[in-house]
Each structure stands twice: as structure tokens, then as C-alpha cells.
Amino acid sequence: MPDTPDAPSADGLAGNLARIKDRIARACQRAGRDPSSVTLVAVSKTHPAEAVLAVAAAGQTTFGENRVQEAAAKFAAARTVRPEIRLHLIGGLQTNKARDAVRIAEVIESLDRPKLAAALADAIGREGRSPALLVQVNVGDEPQKAGVPRAEAADFLRACREEHGLAVSGLMCIPPAEGDPRPHFAWLAGLAARHGLPTLSMGMSGDFEAAIEEGATHVRVGTALFGTRPSPA
Ligand SMILES: *Cc1c(COP(=O)(O)O)cnc(C)c1O
């Protein structure tokens, strides 16, 4: 596991967590929402199990990782100490990792294509374990980004249910890095409402308060909690 150059101490992490929770509470207040309707997903990718345990000791139970292998090693270790930990997989998922993903995750947020739907349905059958599934929508229709294109999202939701027998519980998005994310959040919230989907994972370190104001039920916060990540090799 690569070490973070300026990794915060356990106290620093607890302080960061408290500040983020306070910001979540204030965003909920502005939006007239109950703070318990928003779950913080602590995105620990690239950070070691010790950082996860420090944040868990401060009361955090839900974590997010984007790579199955990294998550499996790190969370097997963390869960021996904190069995209550819940893991969300938030990164692009290869079909050959579907079975491992189903084995370790409580929530898989990156369902975005028919082949993956088929692989997850197969893995769920074999493992006898059913993580909650979110469909990732490429709200900006950006060519380099994962996710179902906007125009195909409704059809894909239907195919997940009718062709693959999958119960999708919500939607996830990563809006374009440039520009106002709010219209994207609002669009995704509308799609979820039209399909009766209760879970909306949207908002990261830079925009989670706006996402809460637009209806996010889950915000995925990494940098603001754990500090900057080492740049990918
Ligand atoms: C890394 C990541 C995050 C966290 O991003 P920060 O800007 O560090 O808060 C959220 N969602 C996904 C899908 C990610 O890959």
C-alpha cells in the first residue's frame, strides 16, 4: 500500500471526519432534510488499513474503494478489528472481478453495462450473497468516463430488472470536472424519482454539499477526509 506523503494522524482524521459531518448536517439543514437521510461513504482508496481503522474508531462505518483487489486485502484486515464496516465498490468493475466484488461489497455502485449485469447476476447466484446495486450514469456523456449514457439509462434499468433479474436500488454519477455539477445532480435525482429508486450516490469532496441540496442519499468523500492521494504512477 503506498504511503500518503502528508497522511493525517489519527487525531487529524477524527477532526476531518467531524468537520465533514458538520458540513453534511448544515447542508441538510439548508435543504430541509434530516441528516440521517445522508450516508457518508469514506473513500479510502490508496490509503492504508491503519487510516481506515483510525476513521472507523472515530465512528465511521461506511467506506468506499475503487479497486477490488486493493479493497479485498485492506478490508479483510480492517474487518477483523471492525466487523461492522460496510464496503462500497465505486470504481469501474471488470466482469472477471464480479465474483470477488460480490463476495466483499455491501454495495456495488458501478453497474454500467449489460455484460457486467450478466456477470453480477451469475456471481450473486453462485455466492448466495446480494450486494445492493447502483447504476452508474455518465451524466455528462463524456467519452472517457464510465457509466451508461444518459439516453440509455432508462432502457438499461429495465434490462437489469427484466433480462438479468437484478434488483437495482439506485443511481450513481460523477459529473464533469468542469462547470456546475448541480444540473447533473438534479437530472440524476429526477431519473431516480421517475424509476422509484431510493438511493442516490452523488457528490465528492468538492461538491458534496451541492449534491445533498439536490437530493443525494450517499456522498463519497476521499480527499477532504484522508488528505491528498499519491498521484497515480
Ligand atoms: C476517488 C473517488 C471519490 C472521492 O473523490 P474525492 O474528490 O477525493 O473526495 C468519489 N467517487 C469516486 C467514484 C471516486 O473514484
Side-chain angles (χ1 to χ4, degrees), residues 6 12-13 15 23 61 118 166 230-231:
D6 54 349
L13 289 168
R23 288 170 62 187
T61 51
L166 292 174
S231 51

Side-chain angles (χ1 to χ4, degrees), residues 3 9-10 24 33 45 60 67-68 86 91 93 116 123 145 158 169 178 183 193 205 214-216 219-220 226:
D3 235 19
S9 65
I24 290 172
R33 299 183 56 191
K45 63 187 184 198
Q60 177 66 20
R67 289 171 201 264
V68 175
R86 293 174 54 79
L93 186 56
L116 182 57
K145 245 183 207 165
R158 186 196 47 73
S169 58
E178 304 298 319
S205 288
E214 299 297 337
V219 293
R220 309 179 307 269
F226 289 100

Side-chain angles (χ1 to χ4, degrees), residues 43 45 66 90-91 172 174 203-206 220-224 229:
V43 178
K45 63 187 184 198
N66 64 343
I90 60 174
M172 179 271 224
I174 309 171
M204 319 200 315
S205 288
R220 309 179 307 269
V221 178
T223 309
R229 290 179 287 274

Side-chain angles (χ1 to χ4, degrees), residues 100-192:
D100 288 336
V102 164
R103 212 175 275 147
I104 64 170
E106 274 65 48
V107 183
I108 296 173
E109 301 202 9
S110 48
L111 171 53
D112 67 352
R113 58 196 192 281
K115 273 196 169 152
L116 182 57
L120 287 171
D122 181 64
I124 287 166
R126 287 171 191 272
E127 292 293 326
R129 191 170 190 275
S130 293
L133 301 174
L134 309 186
V135 164
Q136 179 173 356
V137 182
N138 186 357
V139 286
D141 287 331
E142 297 171 278
Q144 79 283 11
K145 245 183 207 165
V148 194
R150 273 194 188 212
E152 295 168 25
D155 272 354
F156 183 63
L157 285 166
R158 186 196 47 73
C160 285
R161 192 175 60 241
E162 293 176 8
E163 290 164 32
H164 303 286
L166 292 174
V168 171
S169 58
L171 304 174
M172 179 271 224
C173 77
I174 309 171
E178 304 298 319
D180 185 0
R182 268 181 204 271
H184 295 286
F185 294 150
W187 185 87
L188 199 72
L191 183 68

